[in-house]
Amino acid sequence: AIFAAAEDIETYTGRYLIARTVQARFPVLPTTNCIDIRRAPNVEISGVSVWDGAEYVSVPAASYLVEGVDYPSLYFPFRPAFSDQNTLYPLKVAFTAGYGTDDDVPPILKRCVLEYVADLYNQRGDCGGDNLSVRGAMQRPQMPKSVRMKLGRYRILRTFG
């Protein structure tokens, strides 16, 4: 239940509670030549690759700028050449994001995880109504409204996925 609650809170807020390395893939480079990495906090870009038609090729760090700290953006002064043939996601960005350790996670986020776990425990026997999917399979109960309200100020509204 703790893992489920933490995962739902990470999804809802757009923040990783514990640091992890992620590879995000993007369908195109916008006309602004800028990509928002909307996962927080403490994002460190470790690599950018583009699809050349046969494989992903690394883009030198000198070819892009990282702007912002908590919610960084990648800015490409010159558009990298890439092929969108044979792949849906020609741009790949590897980065590390999240609070470093348990001590770095804000207390309110920890409290929200505990409240959510308590709510899941209290609803452990609920087997119908809103908890059934269209196919009749059990679903996890929704995040309590009180938890969502506390998480509001930590929420990043635009995330890559």
Side-chain angles (χ1 to χ4, degrees), residues 56-77:
Y56 282 98
V57 178
S58 183
V59 175
S63 299
Y64 58 88
L65 303 170
V66 179
E67 299 177 347
V69 178
D70 284 335
Y71 314 110
S73 298
L74 286 179
Y75 175 69
F76 295 88

Side-chain angles (χ1 to χ4, degrees), residues 95-160:
F95 63 93
T96 302
Y99 296 98
T101 65
D102 180 49
D103 294 335
D104 298 331
V105 178
I108 190 72
L109 293 178
K110 292 179 189 179
R111 174 85 180 165
C112 286
V113 171
L114 293 175
E115 285 183 31
Y116 193 8
V117 169
D119 187 70
L120 290 172
Y121 179 79
N122 289 333
Q123 296 186 42
R124 67 190 180 280
D126 293 348
C127 300
D130 295 337
N131 291 339
L132 290 179
S133 70
V134 175
R135 296 186 182 138
M138 281 297 298
Q139 291 181 332
R140 204 171 1 193
Q142 290 186 349
M143 184 183 304
K145 186 175 183 178
S146 62
V147 171
R148 286 195 313 266
M149 290 177 68
K150 290 174 187 159
L151 294 173
R153 69 182 203 176
Y154 290 95
R155 194 167 185 207
I156 303 168
L157 295 178
R158 293 187 310 141
T159 60
F160 65 86

